[in-house]
Amino acid sequence: MTALPERTVDSKFPAGDSDDSADREPVATNSEQKAIENKSLKASFLTSFFTSTLSIFERRSDSFSVEKKPTKSRSYGWTTAVRKVVTSGSMRRLQEHILGTSRFDNLSMTSQIWFLGKCYKLSLEESSQCSDPGNSYAAFLEDFSSRIWITYRKGFEPIVESKFTCDVNWGCMIRSSQMLVAQALILHHLGRSWRKPLQKPYELQYVEVLHLFGDSSTCAFSIHNLLQAGRGYGLAAGSWLGPYAICRTWETLARANKEQAEHDKCKESLPMVLYIVSGDEDGEQGGAPVVCIEVAARLCSDFSKGQLEWAPILLLVPLVLGLEKINPRYIPLLWETFTFPQSVGILGGKPGASTYIVGVQDDKALYLDPHEVQPAVDIRRDDSEADCTSYHCSTVRHLPFDMIDPSLAIGFYCRDKGDFEDFCSRASQLADSSNGAPLFTVVQNLQPAKPIPCHVGTDHNRGIHDTSVENFSDIGDQVHGDEWQIL
């Protein structure tokens, strides 16, 4: 994967129990803000150097050494030494210092941030001086750094039928999807107001969630098990896939996990219904995405084997909102989904470089970036003293909304029936305000669909059919040329 062209906002907010006091700085004053602006000329001159240099060495994956051992020569030793220096934390801090990037860089101090269903009204003042500390910038940073951050890892057990012990350059979509599902699990078990404590011991429920995403075949939602579940959609170690395929992969893995839990008579790792929203029953014939209340009810009944009227639901909505670029008319609609209390973010990013988009401000999408290489760690489900710092990030990155790849997937978590009904109400209002081109619609019952011509099979790497728009002129006013979502 190539690195995203991005601005970073280093929050300097202590993540977890980090002891790096050098990274903890007070909130910037107006004079500091002015100083940052004065560095813009220097930043524009040096940005390309640091970005290209860092990306070159970050893309050098240690995983490929298992296939071809490096030659022990002076040139190799020199390259290794330079790579360590360039990718070190000290070099990154030097880059941020010279380029003037800080937690205020390009983030407005007057515009609100919508972050996974919660609104933050930023202020340059300290939380102690703010009339509503819960809405302050510091509160946003605490919330942001409490989300589960899952990145490239190196040094894990070899993936079955391959020699890969690292997922650098190909695992970013998998990692992004893990972050979204992890957020749904945190919402389910700990609630939206949960924040990672700064001191140990940690809640065992939080540690158990992290354990599920460990890099081992023994962890339910590991990259190893996702690769196994996604084989039918072209997922393989060393290859990349799109949002549609990863959504279907999670559906397969969730089904297998439920069957295993029933066989072993133990609790399920994913205690919720997974509903992949598509245009038809199996998503293979194309069509505008439709959330069907009747289908959701049936899935809940099947999940609980008829014992409960309703169950928690994780909805994943894979979409394609343009061809080479996202259609601008969809940007306000995507923006609005982050105001939903049920929001668990978006799988999206630049082509070939997936990220986990978690918030919005003005025309910017805020995201957690999986393109950071970290050593694999083993977190036992009962270890309340585990070192969890590598699963949290205090750097807020953002990119312009109009640079997002049009192939993406939106996630929503509904705790109960009332929460689902609230989601459906919000989604219907959003569709009504879309001028005839909604992201998706909500219906009570599925109507018999008209035959839809489809000329080319599914490309799972994009999650899209190559279907001629001209052939849909007889479907009605719901279809508007290139605004029609094709799955």
Side-chain angles (χ1 to χ4, degrees):
M1 300 307 105
T2 57
L4 287 170
E6 65 189 21
R7 292 294 188 104
T8 65
V9 183
D10 190 351
S11 70
K12 303 299 188 295
F13 191 88
D17 52 356
S18 174
D19 295 325
D20 189 1
S21 59
D23 283 344
R24 302 183 184 183
E25 299 177 0
V27 177
T29 63
N30 290 334
S31 61
E32 290 174 324
Q33 181 78 353
K34 185 176 181 180
I36 291 171
E37 294 173 356
N38 290 337
K39 294 179 181 179
S40 60
L41 291 178
K42 185 184 297 183
S44 63
F45 177 77
L46 294 174
T47 297
S48 59
F49 167 76
F50 279 104
T51 302
S52 60
T53 304
L54 286 169
S55 62
I56 288 172
F57 284 100
E58 284 180 341
R59 291 197 298 265
R60 297 289 298 176
S61 169
D62 290 338
S63 66
F64 297 104
S65 63
V66 298
E67 299 177 9
K68 183 177 180 180
K69 295 184 178 180
T71 303
K72 294 183 178 180
S73 64
R74 292 183 180 180
S75 62
Y76 172 76
W78 171 249
T79 301
T80 302
V82 171
R83 182 177 61 178
K84 289 181 179 180
V85 171
V86 172
T87 59
S88 67
S90 299
M91 180 61 76
R92 287 186 179 277
R93 285 190 288 271
L94 176 62
Q95 175 197 13
E96 291 163 1
H97 176 74
I98 293 177
L99 299 183
T101 55
S102 72
R103 66 185 184 180
F104 293 100
D105 184 33
N106 273 1
L107 275 189
S108 170
M109 289 299 106
T110 57
S111 298
Q112 63 189 12
I113 287 178
W114 278 99
F115 179 68
L116 295 175
K118 181 171 176 58
C119 181
Y120 288 96
K121 298 178 181 178
L122 305 191
S123 172
L124 282 171
E125 298 181 3
E126 294 283 358
S127 296
S128 59
Q129 300 174 352
C130 183
S131 59
D132 184 6
N135 263 339
S136 68
Y137 189 77
F140 161 68
L141 293 177
E142 183 182 14
D143 193 355
F144 181 89
S145 61
S146 294
R147 300 312 106 199
I148 306 300
W149 180 47
I150 303 179
T151 71
Y152 289 150
R153 295 282 180 171
K154 61 181 180 179
F156 50 70
E157 70 176 48
I159 295 171
V160 176
E161 299 180 0
S162 80
K163 297 181 180 180
F164 284 98
T165 59
C166 180
D167 63 312
V168 173
N169 292 339
W170 56 269
C172 59
M173 177 59 74
I174 296 175
R175 299 304 187 177
S176 299
S177 72
Q178 286 178 319
M179 285 190 269
L180 188 149
V181 176
Q183 173 60 14
L185 288 169
I186 290 293
L187 282 176
H188 179 81
H189 292 297
L190 300 170
R192 181 62 183 87
S193 62
W194 178 84
R195 301 292 181 268
K196 180 179 179 292
L198 298 179
Q199 295 181 347
K200 301 174 183 179
Y202 300 132
E203 304 102 311
L204 283 181
Q205 189 63 70
Y206 156 66
V207 176
E208 286 181 10
V209 170
L210 294 185
H211 169 78
L212 292 173
F213 298 93
D215 297 302
S216 167
S217 56
T218 61
C219 301
F221 305 139
S222 66
I223 191 171
H224 300 67
N225 289 326
L226 279 164
L227 286 167
Q228 182 68 22
R231 295 177 68 178
Y233 295 97
L235 183 57
S239 66
W240 196 82
L241 76 165
Y244 173 83
I246 195 64
C247 288
R248 289 301 183 188
T249 294
W250 274 101
E251 183 180 49
T252 301
L253 183 58
R255 186 184 305 114
N257 177 263
K258 181 176 177 60
E259 293 173 355
Q260 186 65 39
E262 292 174 351
H263 179 269
D264 296 340
K265 297 182 178 180
C266 61
K267 68 177 183 179
E268 298 174 26
S269 300
L270 190 67
M272 61 191 72
V273 171
L274 184 56
Y275 181 6
I276 309 299
V277 180
S278 58
D280 57 76
E281 292 184 358
D282 60 7
E284 297 295 336
Q285 300 300 319
V290 177
V291 176
C292 179
I293 298 174
E294 184 181 66
V295 169
R298 186 178 71 244
L299 290 173
C300 288
S301 178
D302 292 344
F303 182 82
S304 64
K305 295 191 177 301
Q307 298 180 3
L308 298 175
E309 179 186 0
W310 207 259
I313 299 179
L314 173 60
L315 299 100
L316 297 179
V317 190
L319 296 166
V320 176
L321 304 177
L323 297 178
E324 297 300 322
K325 295 184 64 176
I326 189 170
N327 190 311
R329 72 184 302 169
Y330 292 113
I331 293 177
L333 304 179
L334 287 174
W335 200 102
E336 193 69 21
T337 63
F338 285 97
T339 69
F340 288 26
Q342 301 83 10
S343 171
V344 288
I346 294 176
L347 301 180
K350 293 289 289 181
S354 175
T355 66
Y356 176 38
I357 302 174
V358 291
V360 289
Q361 184 192 52
D362 297 330
D363 61 348
K364 298 180 285 290
L366 315 182
Y367 64 92
L368 283 163
D369 189 4
H371 301 86
E372 178 90 14
V373 187
Q374 301 190 89
V377 295
D378 179 20
I379 295 183
R380 302 190 308 275
R381 64 172 66 245
D382 59 348
D383 186 4
S384 61
E385 299 287 336
D387 182 3
C388 304
T389 54
S390 66
Y391 283 96
H392 294 274
C393 176
S394 58
T395 300
V396 184
R397 291 181 167 87
H398 58 83
L399 77 162
F401 235 119
D402 59 7
M403 291 180 64
I404 296 175
D405 190 287
S407 182
L408 51 86
I410 316 175
F412 303 96
Y413 167 77
C414 302
R415 180 177 298 276
D416 49 35
K417 187 175 183 180
D419 202 20
F420 178 77
E421 291 174 346
D422 179 74
F423 161 75
C424 290
S425 175
R426 293 172 184 271
S428 295
Q429 293 176 22
L430 186 62
D432 291 341
S433 65
S434 66
N435 294 321
L439 295 173
F440 55 91
T441 59
V442 179
V443 299
Q444 181 66 41
N445 304 294
L446 283 180
Q447 300 298 323
K450 294 182 179 182
I452 298 177
C454 183
H455 304 292
V456 181
T458 302
D459 177 358
H460 293 298
N461 284 334
R462 285 281 296 175
I464 178 173
H465 290 281
D466 181 7
T467 317
S468 177
V469 174
E470 291 81 11
N471 293 322
F472 300 107
S473 59
D474 61 337
I475 295 180
D477 293 337
Q478 289 184 336
V479 179
H480 294 266
D482 62 350
E483 282 79 45
W484 190 66
Q485 298 84 27
I486 317 170
L487 293 181

